[in-house]
Amino acid sequence: DQQVKQNSPSLSVQEGRISILNCDYTNSMFDYFLWYKKYPAEGPTFLISISSIKDKNEDGRFTVFLNKSAKHLSLHIVPSQPGDSAVYFCAGGFNTGKLIFGQGTTLQVKP
Amino acid sequence: EPEVTQTPSHQVTQMGQEVILRCVPISNHLYFYWYRQILGQKVEFLVSFYNNEISEKSEIFDDQFSVERPDGSNFTLKIRSTKLEDSAMYFCASKFDSYSNQPQHFGDGTRLSIL
């Protein structure tokens, strides 16, 4: 079972506040996890990743948290900006390169 | 910043016809991938390619599909006899090496419409 799930199809946040996007997985064999952002008519754009042996990775406004016991990861965006409005995908990755994607969460950041 | 380019952006093909989707990965990348996204569904892994051979393929990637790196720059996905259910966005991706801290970079996709 290689499922990655994003249970919230959409999220709306006020500009300047924190956006928290969540992702659950069932396969303990993932070697790493990634978050991608996608605008309409474009391909996924890499945001941030985390190794399965870490519990946190931070890059500017983006932080990813990994809770292995709960098989849960989250992406925090602080502060949120209107340009962050997009579809966000989490993905589990194997060292072979194969990625398993979640369904995506549409984030809307309101000015 | 270097990017993965895919052509055409939209391909319309009659059912049963062959189609070739083209990709130019980032020039120093060594690992190449195809994914697809059927409308309203997840992005799904199709195949990975390294050192001129398939490294891994999904159950979707049956005998109707093939990949090729015909020269030093292009990476193609061929569907031999298209079916209606092949209609999807097809994304090409590339990666420099196999380490997990190197993310895959995606092209903007080819929308394949089978009539």
Side-chain angles (χ1 to χ4, degrees), chain A residues 4 32 36 43 96-97 99 101, chain B residues 35 42 56 95 100 104 107-108:
Chain A
V4 175
Y32 55 95
Y36 281 87
T96 59
L99 299 181
F101 282 86
Chain B
Y35 293 80
K42 292 184 178 186
E56 186 174 3
K95 186 171 172 176
S100 62
Q104 293 180 27
D108 286 340

Side-chain angles (χ1 to χ4, degrees), chain B residues 20-88:
Chain B
I20 298 176
L21 308 182
R22 303 184 190 279
C23 170
V24 179
I26 294 173
S27 62
N28 62 343
H29 285 190
L30 302 175
Y31 295 79
F32 313 111
Y33 309 87
W34 283 101
Y35 293 80
R36 79 171 185 191
Q37 185 179 27
I38 294 171
L39 188 63
Q41 298 187 23
K42 292 184 178 186
V43 176
E44 301 173 287
F45 169 80
L46 291 179
V47 67
S48 59
F49 190 86
Y50 168 71
N51 200 24
N52 277 323
E53 59 183 30
I54 290 173
S55 313
E56 186 174 3
K57 58 184 181 179
S58 71
E59 56 276 8
I60 303 167
F61 195 90
D62 62 21
D63 292 345
Q64 293 301 310
F65 291 86
S66 62
V67 288
E68 192 178 32
R69 187 154 162 83
D71 52 42
S73 59
N74 291 284
F75 179 51
T76 61
L77 174 69
K78 182 194 290 186
I79 309 175
R80 248 178 290 280
S81 177
T82 49
K83 309 185 202 59
L84 293 175
E85 54 265 36
D86 294 327
S87 295

